[in-house]
C-alpha cells in the first residue's frame, strides 16, 4: 500500500485489508508515521510517541475488529500504562500511569495499534487547543485557525490523514467542536455508555463521555461498538451496553420530526455561515422525507452556561487541589487561566455548586419536553467558523493578575469583576450549542455538512433523547450518503491552504 492509498482509506477499509493479508500492521504503522512526519511539524497534533510498544503490537498477533489499524489516544483521560498523561499540564508532565484507562484498554482490545498521544489544552478546559506545555495545535484546512478543542490534536491528526480515527472525550463539546472544525464525525454518547476509570470515576458529575473522532460514520459506529458498555466494577454506571451501532447503519431513519434553531442568548448574532449550515441541512432533511420545523430553543443557553461553568470551576478546583496534594505541584505548574477559574470555584462554595446541579434537572426536563414533540434537535455545532489561532488567548497582564488573585485566594473579588460574563461571551460565545448535551447526559453528534467560502469546515449538531445514539448514527449515515464528505480531506500542502477533493 502506498501513502496515497492510506490517506483515502478509512479504518474499516484498512481493517478489511489487514484481515485479508493484503497489508500488515507494520506497513500501516510505517505509513501513519510517514504521514505524521510530513504534517505534524505544521500541526502539532501528535505530542508524544509510543514507538516501542507500537512496534511490539504491530509485530504481534492481534485480534479484534480493527486489528492492526494505527491509532492515537488523547493526552487526557486516556491513560496508557507506562507513559505520562499530562492533561496539558506541567504539573502532570511526568505523572506515569500504572495501568491503562478502561477506554484505552478497550481500544487495544479492538486490535488498534496506539503509537502516539494527541494535543489538548490544560485539563481539556477550552474549545481551542493552545497550551503552554504542549504548544498550539493548528487546523489542517488552514494553519492560521484552530482545530478546536479540547480534542483538537485528535481532530487535526484525523483530518490530515495521520490516522483515520483517534481517541477523544467530551465534557462540554470536546468531541463535537473539533469534529466541526476539521470536517469530521463526532458523537458524544449518552451518559453511562462509555466508562471512565480506573484512575477516576465519572468526571464532572457524569457530564464527560469518552469516544472518537473519525472521517466516516461507519468508523465511528464500529469503534464505539468496541468501547461502549459500562464496567461492572463501577456502581455509578447502570446503562446497559447498547445494541450494535455498526450493524444498524443499513437501516435508514424515516419520517423523523426534527426541530432546528440557530438562536442563542449567548451569541444573538451567529455567523451567517453557521445559519446557512443549519438551513442547508434542514432543506436536505426535508428532501429525505423528514418533517423539519424551525423552533425556539428548548432551553435558556445563557442560564445553562452559568450552571455549566459553575460545575466546571468547582470540579477544576477539586482537581488542582488533588494534584497539589498528591504530587506537591506549585502554582507555577498550572496555567494562569486554570488557577483563576479554580479559585472562582473555591470561592463560590458548595452552595453554588449544588444550586447548579439542582438546575441540571430543570434543563433536562425542558429537553425531555422538547423531545416529546420532536425526535431530534438540530443546531449549528459552532456559532462561527473555526477561530484564528490566538484570538481568545488571555492577555499576559491578565494572566499575571490571575496568578496573584489565586495566590491571595481572592476568588470573590475576581468574580465581582464580571469575569464569568466575559468567559461566557468569549469562550462559549462561539460554541454556545454544545454544553446542553453534557449537562443533560443526552447524546449529540456533529456531522460535516458545510464548508465556508474560505474553505473551512463547519459542522451541524443533532441532539437526541437518552439512548438515541444509534438513531443519531443512522441519520448521520443517511446524510453522508446524500452528501458524501469522505473524499474531501486536508492535504496540507504548504503552498495550498484550502480543501482538496480526491
Amino acid at each position: 500500500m502506498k501513502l496515497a492509498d492510506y490517506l483515502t482509506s478509512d479504518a474499516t477499509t484498512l481493517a478489511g485489508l489487514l484481515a485479508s493479508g493484503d497489508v500488515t500492521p507494520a506497513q500501516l504503522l510505517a505509513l501513519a508515521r510517514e504521514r505524521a512526519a510530513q504534517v505534524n511539524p505544521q500541526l502539532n497534533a501528535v505530542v508524544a510517541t509510543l514507538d516501542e510498544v507500537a512496534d511490539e503490537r504491530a509485530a504481534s498477533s492481534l485480534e479484534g475488529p480493527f486489528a492492526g489499524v494505527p491509532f492515537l489516544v488523547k493526552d487526557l483521560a486516556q491513560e496508557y500504562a507506562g507513559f505520562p498523561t499530562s492533561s496539558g499540564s506541567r504539573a502532570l508532565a511526568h505523572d506515569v500511569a500504572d495501568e491503562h484507562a478502561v477506554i484505552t484498554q478497550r481500544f487495544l482490545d479492538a486490535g488498534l495499534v496506539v503509537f502516539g498521544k494527541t494535543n489538548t489544552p490544560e485539563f481539556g478546559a477550552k474549545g481551542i487547543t493552545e497550551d503552554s506545555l504542549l504548544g498550539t495545535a493548528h487546523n489542517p484546512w488552514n494553519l492560521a485557525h484552530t482545530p478546536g478543542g479540547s480534542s483538537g490534536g485528535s481532530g487535526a491528526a484525523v483530518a490530515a490523514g495521520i490516522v483515520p480515527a483517534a481517541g477523544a472525550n467530551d465534557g462540554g463539546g470536546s468531541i463535537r467542536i473539533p469534529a466541526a472544525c476539521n470536517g469530521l464525525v463526532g458523537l458524544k454518547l449518552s451518559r453511562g455508555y462509555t466508562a471512565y476509570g480506573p484512575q477516576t470515576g465519572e468526571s464532572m458529575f457524569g457530564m464527560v463521555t469518552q469516544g472518537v473522532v473519525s472521517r466516516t460514520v461507519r468508523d465511528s459506529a464500529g469503534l464505539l461498538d468496541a468501547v461502549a458498555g459500562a464496567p461492572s466494577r463501577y456502581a455509578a454506571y447502570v446503562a446497559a451496553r447498547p445494541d450494535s451501532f455498526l450493524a444498524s447503519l443499513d437501516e435508514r431513519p424515516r419520517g423523523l420530526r426534527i426541530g432546528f434553531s440557530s438562536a442563542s442568548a449567548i451569541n444573538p448574532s451567529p455567523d451567517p455561515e453557521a445559519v446557512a449550515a443549519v438551513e442547508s441541512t434542514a432543506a436536505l432533511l426535508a428532501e429525505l422525507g423528514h418533517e423539519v420545523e424551525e423552533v425556539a430553543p428548548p432551553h435558556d443557553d445563557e442560564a445553562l452556561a452559568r450552571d455549566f461553568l459553575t460545575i466546571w470551576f468547582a470540579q477544576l478546583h477539586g482537581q488542582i487541589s488533588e494534584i497539589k496534594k498528591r504530587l506537591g505541584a506549585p502554582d507555577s505548574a498550572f496555567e494562569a487561566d486554570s488557577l483563576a477559574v479554580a479559585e472562582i470555584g473555591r470561592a463560590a462554595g458548595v452552595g453554588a455548586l449544588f444550586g447548579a446541579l439542582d438546575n441540571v434537572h430543570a434543563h433536562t426536563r425542558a429537553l425531555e419536553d422538547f423531545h416529546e414533540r420532536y425526535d431530534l434537535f438540530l443546531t449549528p455545532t459552532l456559532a462561527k467558523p473555526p477561530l484564528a489561532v490566538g484570538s481568545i488567548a488571555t492577555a499576559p497582564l491578565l494572566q499575571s493578575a490571575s496568578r496573584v488573585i489565586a495566590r491571595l485566594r481572592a476568588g470573590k473579588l475576581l468574580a465581582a469583576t464580571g469575569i464569568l460574563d466575559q468567559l461566557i461571551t468569549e469562550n462559549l460565545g462561539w460554541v454556545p450549542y454544545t454544553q446542553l448535551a453534557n449537562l443533560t447526559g443526552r447524546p449529540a453528534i456533529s456531522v460535516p455538512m458545510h464548508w465556508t467560502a474560505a474553505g473551512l469546515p463547519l459542522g451541524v449538531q443533532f441532539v437526541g433523547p437518552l439512548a438515541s445514539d444509534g438513531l443519531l448514527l443512522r441519520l448521520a449515515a443517511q446524510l453522508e450518503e446524500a452528501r458524501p464528505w469522505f473524499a474531501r480531506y486536508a492535504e496540507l500542502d504548504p503552498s495550498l491552504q484550502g480543501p482538496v477533493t480526491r
Side-chain angles (χ1 to χ4, degrees), residues 45 72-74 78 118-119 151-159 163 166-168 178 184 213:
L72 298 165
V73 294
K74 183 178 177 179
Q78 296 188 345
T118 60
N119 203 342
S151 306
S154 291
V158 173
V163 286
L184 306 175
V213 288

Side-chain angles (χ1 to χ4, degrees), residues 27 55 75 123 127 138 145 153 168 170 175 192 209 216 251 266 275 321 334 345 363 388 395 401 404 470 480 490 492:
Q27 289 170 333
D55 288 335
D75 198 25
F123 305 122
H138 297 267
H145 292 261
D170 191 319
I175 286 175
T209 63
T216 65
E251 177 189 343
I266 299 174
V275 176
S321 297
F334 303 93
H363 298 310
V404 172
E480 184 180 36
L492 206 73

Side-chain angles (χ1 to χ4, degrees), residues 92-310:
L92 298 175
H94 305 292
D95 190 30
V96 176
D98 58 2
E99 57 185 322
H100 296 315
V102 172
I103 186 71
T104 302
Q105 186 60 60
R106 290 183 178 176
F107 286 142
L108 296 173
D109 291 343
L112 294 162
V113 176
V114 177
F115 68 98
K117 309 185 86 173
T118 60
N119 203 342
T120 181
E122 188 172 51
F123 305 122
K126 298 177 181 178
I128 56 175
T129 301
E130 299 174 18
D131 185 71
S132 63
L133 173 68
L134 302 177
T136 296
H138 297 267
N139 192 311
W141 297 92
N142 187 318
L143 296 175
H145 292 261
T146 183
S150 63
S151 306
S154 291
V158 173
I162 297 174
V163 286
N169 35 52
D170 191 319
S174 292
I175 286 175
R176 290 158 287 153
I177 294 167
C181 287
N182 292 283
L184 306 175
V185 179
L187 173 64
K188 175 226 167 281
L189 287 165
S190 291
R191 179 178 178 179
Y193 268 5
T194 59
Y196 265 69
Q199 289 80 5
T200 65
E202 283 190 307
S203 182
M204 285 184 67
F205 304 92
M207 288 163 52
V208 182
T209 63
Q210 297 278 13
V212 299
V213 288
S214 74
R215 286 174 59 200
T216 65
V217 176
R218 68 177 186 174
D219 274 0
S220 282
L223 286 163
L224 293 174
D225 275 342
V227 302
S232 58
R233 61 190 290 190
Y234 296 103
Y237 295 94
V238 297
R241 183 180 179 88
D243 294 335
S244 173
F245 296 132
L246 184 61
S248 70
L249 288 187
D250 289 338
E251 177 189 343
R252 294 292 182 259
R254 298 181 181 179
L256 295 176
R257 298 165 301 162
I258 301 173
F260 74 91
S261 176
S262 301
S264 165
I266 299 174
N267 189 338
S269 301
D271 191 280
E273 293 272 18
V275 176
V278 166
E279 292 179 346
S280 172
T281 303
L284 177 59
L285 290 165
E287 292 175 13
L288 294 171
H290 301 295
E291 181 183 334
V292 186
E293 179 182 0
E294 188 167 9
V295 298
H299 67 299
D300 180 342
D301 66 335
E302 185 172 8
L304 185 142
R306 291 180 181 277
D307 291 328
F308 171 80
L309 289 178
T310 297

Side-chain angles (χ1 to χ4, degrees), residues 23-66:
V23 67
T24 67
Q27 289 170 333
L28 289 187
L29 181 58
L31 290 169
R33 286 171 169 161
E34 179 183 350
R35 183 59 174 168
Q38 287 180 352
V39 301
N40 198 56
Q42 300 172 74
L43 297 177
N44 193 33
V46 183
V47 293
T49 56
L50 284 61
D51 290 333
E52 186 175 343
V53 294
D55 288 335
E56 289 176 358
R57 278 186 63 81
S60 65
S61 178
L62 298 171
E63 296 182 353
F66 293 95

Side-chain angles (χ1 to χ4, degrees), residues 132-501:
S132 63
L133 173 68
L134 302 177
T136 296
H138 297 267
N139 192 311
W141 297 92
N142 187 318
L143 296 175
H145 292 261
T146 183
S150 63
S151 306
S154 291
V158 173
I162 297 174
V163 286
N169 35 52
D170 191 319
S174 292
I175 286 175
R176 290 158 287 153
I177 294 167
C181 287
N182 292 283
L184 306 175
V185 179
L187 173 64
K188 175 226 167 281
L189 287 165
S190 291
R191 179 178 178 179
Y193 268 5
T194 59
Y196 265 69
Q199 289 80 5
T200 65
E202 283 190 307
S203 182
M204 285 184 67
F205 304 92
M207 288 163 52
V208 182
T209 63
Q210 297 278 13
V212 299
V213 288
S214 74
R215 286 174 59 200
T216 65
V217 176
R218 68 177 186 174
D219 274 0
S220 282
L223 286 163
L224 293 174
D225 275 342
V227 302
S232 58
R233 61 190 290 190
Y234 296 103
Y237 295 94
V238 297
R241 183 180 179 88
D243 294 335
S244 173
F245 296 132
L246 184 61
S248 70
L249 288 187
D250 289 338
E251 177 189 343
R252 294 292 182 259
R254 298 181 181 179
L256 295 176
R257 298 165 301 162
I258 301 173
F260 74 91
S261 176
S262 301
S264 165
I266 299 174
N267 189 338
S269 301
D271 191 280
E273 293 272 18
V275 176
V278 166
E279 292 179 346
S280 172
T281 303
L284 177 59
L285 290 165
E287 292 175 13
L288 294 171
H290 301 295
E291 181 183 334
V292 186
E293 179 182 0
E294 188 167 9
V295 298
H299 67 299
D300 180 342
D301 66 335
E302 185 172 8
L304 185 142
R306 291 180 181 277
D307 291 328
F308 171 80
L309 289 178
T310 297
I311 295 167
W312 169 246
F313 292 175
Q315 184 272 339
L316 188 59
H317 165 62
Q319 187 174 6
I320 288 177
S321 297
E322 185 276 331
I323 293 169
K324 286 182 175 181
K325 180 179 179 180
R326 180 167 59 88
L327 299 177
D331 279 356
S332 59
F334 303 93
E335 292 190 358
D337 290 351
S338 298
L339 292 172
V341 298
E343 171 56 20
I344 294 175
R346 184 204 64 79
V350 174
L353 170 61
F354 277 92
L357 290 171
D358 282 343
N359 291 341
V360 168
H361 178 62
H363 298 310
T364 302
R365 287 198 64 180
L367 188 55
E368 286 177 344
D369 290 343
F370 176 87
H371 281 135
E372 288 181 0
R373 303 188 303 276
Y374 300 95
D375 297 300
L376 300 174
F377 180 41
L378 166 64
T379 73
T381 310
L382 315 172
K384 58 181 67 176
L387 300 179
V389 168
S391 61
I392 58 171
T394 304
L397 183 61
L398 289 177
Q399 291 187 41
S400 298
S402 294
R403 290 190 179 279
V404 172
I405 289 171
R407 186 171 66 251
L408 296 176
R409 296 171 70 84
K412 290 187 182 296
L413 176 63
L414 186 61
T417 66
I419 191 173
L420 182 60
D421 293 326
Q422 181 181 349
L423 287 167
I424 290 173
T425 300
E426 293 186 2
N427 288 278
L428 299 185
W430 76 290
V431 288
Y433 308 105
T434 54
Q435 296 82 40
L436 171 64
N438 297 93
L439 254 71
T440 62
R442 271 50 188 170
I445 193 169
S446 182
V447 287
M449 297 302 295
H450 187 76
W451 267 259
T452 70
L456 286 168
L458 192 60
V460 300
Q461 173 186 242
F462 293 91
V463 180
L466 198 63
S468 65
D469 310 60
L471 173 62
L472 291 174
L473 285 165
R474 291 193 296 274
L475 179 62
Q478 187 178 44
L479 294 171
E480 184 180 36
E481 181 180 60
R483 192 179 291 172
W485 56 70
F486 178 71
R488 189 170 186 165
Y489 74 96
E491 188 174 82
L492 206 73
D493 176 47
S495 66
L496 179 67
Q497 288 302 314
V500 176
T501 300

